[in-house]
Amino acid sequence: MQIGIVGLGRMGGNIARRLMRAGHECVVLDANPKAAETLAGEGAVASSAAADLVGKLSGSPRVIWLMLPSGAITEAAVWEYAALLAPGDILIDGGNTYYKDDVRRSGELAKRGIHYLDIGTSGGVWGLERGYCMMIGGDAGAVAAIDPILVALAPGIGTIPLTLDREGRDPRVEQGYLHAGPAGAGHFVKMIHNGIEYGMMQAMAEGFDILRHRGDASLPEAERFDLNMGDIAEVWRRGSVVTSWLLDLSAQALARDEKLEHFSGNVADSGEGRWTIEAAIEEAVPADVLAAALFTRFRSRQEHTFAEKMLSAMRLGFGGHVEPK
């Protein structure tokens, strides 16, 4: 299948690579021409501008996947490409867009006959090898039309055991992708996913901070323990209840630098945590842990603890997020 991919950063470039490995043709574009040239050397078709990319797409429907920073950049791109597409074509936003923007865009594009899909995409810098977990909002027919793309990007069942009593349910979710509902539903589910991620990361980071301080001179001497954080993370990976990818990343970071001296602890938030709390307020749903995790990220920019260095280490591990200077 042929697809245009706009935005070849940490995830966009690897999305193109994974699709090409599966035999799909990718027409690519990035603000940095060298990024497109690099992928062209790997088998993609480079383009120089929006009109050039659309012109190189053949067949029907034409499919374009935007993998750009949320906000003004994506908003401008949506309407730039919409002006070049025809009824029946499919425009995908795979970034972390606010779901209410998806609802608005979908309604406006539907008047032109253009299908808009919001695909919340999780996998970070590891997606090329591991695959991408995808949460999709939009018209069911458009989702079905791009199923070959979704199958190629998804992780697949792999070694994860099947869940019992799922007979008669959507088998696609076992492959790692979900049609969550109408426009906005995909990014809404991804937004809550990221909000939960905040809470899980915070709990893990605080736990390791408590472990680290067990050797403090302020404690009774007999109750002080000089604990090896890297070894604790590693043993927890082996059959414990808290086993997770975040723990894998933590163990890797601690094995390299147990004191995490290469991290300042200045932890950014990319928007989804705030939007999750806003949704909780709209729905009058208590979200104590998620709110606390978000506020801790705010505090991290004023003072830094070992827990915040753990958060930075995990963010670098799964998403390639570099601390602000």
Side-chain angles (χ1 to χ4, degrees):
M1 188 171 180
Q2 189 186 47
I3 184 172
I5 299 178
V6 181
L8 307 174
R10 287 193 301 263
M11 291 180 67
N14 281 343
I15 284 174
R17 290 184 176 94
R18 188 169 174 91
L19 289 174
M20 289 190 292
R21 286 183 180 181
H24 297 285
E25 180 185 343
C26 296
V27 182
V28 298
L29 176 65
D30 191 84
N32 177 6
K34 291 184 178 179
E37 291 171 8
T38 297
L39 278 169
E42 300 174 30
V45 177
S47 56
S48 58
D52 183 37
L53 181 143
V54 174
K56 289 176 177 175
L57 295 175
S58 59
S60 182
R62 291 174 294 184
V63 180
I64 296 176
W65 183 305
L66 304 178
M67 204 66 187
L68 300 167
S70 63
I73 293 175
T74 295
E75 185 74 17
V78 165
W79 300 113
E80 181 179 16
Y81 284 92
L84 298 168
L85 296 177
D89 289 339
I90 299 171
L91 185 58
I92 300 166
D93 178 4
N96 286 323
T97 287
Y98 187 40
Y99 73 98
K100 292 187 179 183
D101 289 333
D102 295 315
V103 174
R104 169 180 54 80
R105 292 173 188 163
S106 177
E108 294 177 16
L109 289 172
K111 298 174 184 176
R112 308 185 189 190
I114 298 172
H115 299 290
Y116 177 87
L117 299 179
D118 51 286
I119 302 185
T121 310
S122 181
V125 296
W126 298 87
L128 176 60
E129 301 300 333
R130 293 170 58 105
Y132 299 92
C133 175
M134 293 168 288
M135 297 136 269
I136 308 156
D139 176 71
V143 175
I146 66 163
D147 194 67
I149 295 293
L150 301 174
V151 169
L153 290 176
I157 292 176
T159 59
I160 299 174
L162 294 176
T163 300
L164 298 177
D165 301 321
R166 279 197 51 84
E167 293 79 4
R169 293 176 177 268
D170 187 348
R172 294 175 295 183
V173 301
E174 294 170 339
Q175 300 292 329
Y177 64 106
L178 164 72
H179 182 208
H187 277 149
F188 185 82
V189 174
K190 175 59 160 52
M191 177 185 81
I192 302 304
H193 164 281
N194 285 20
I196 292 171
E197 179 186 288
Y198 278 36
M200 292 174 65
M201 292 172 68
Q202 187 63 37
M204 195 171 295
E206 289 178 7
F208 277 101
D209 207 8
I210 295 169
L211 291 168
R212 175 177 173 269
H213 281 91
R214 197 61 225 175
D216 286 0
S218 60
L219 298 171
E221 186 173 358
E223 297 176 9
R224 297 177 205 161
F225 309 133
D226 184 16
L227 301 171
N228 186 306
M229 246 72 62
D231 286 353
I232 291 170
E234 188 63 30
V235 76
W236 281 354
R237 294 181 62 220
R238 315 290 171 170
S240 83
V241 175
V242 296
T243 297
S244 66
W245 187 26
L246 292 175
L247 182 59
D248 294 345
L249 297 170
S250 299
Q252 188 173 75
L254 291 167
R256 291 172 178 164
D257 173 16
E258 190 169 356
K259 294 183 179 180
L260 301 180
E261 291 178 336
H262 291 87
F263 295 93
S264 71
N266 185 326
V267 186
D269 68 288
S270 52
E272 295 89 342
R274 301 185 190 210
W275 299 337
T276 296
I277 302 308
E278 288 175 6
I281 293 170
E282 286 182 351
E283 300 164 18
V285 173
D288 307 58
V289 172
L290 306 190
L294 174 64
F295 293 142
T296 297
R297 293 198 177 196
F298 297 162
R299 180 178 56 78
S300 78
R301 297 159 208 170
Q302 300 172 2
E303 55 179 303
H304 306 308
T305 66
F306 186 80
E308 281 140 13
K309 292 182 180 183
M310 281 294 304
L311 291 176
S312 282
M314 283 186 271
R315 291 183 85 244
L316 177 65
F318 71 73
H321 302 288
V322 179
E323 290 180 333
K325 293 181 180 180

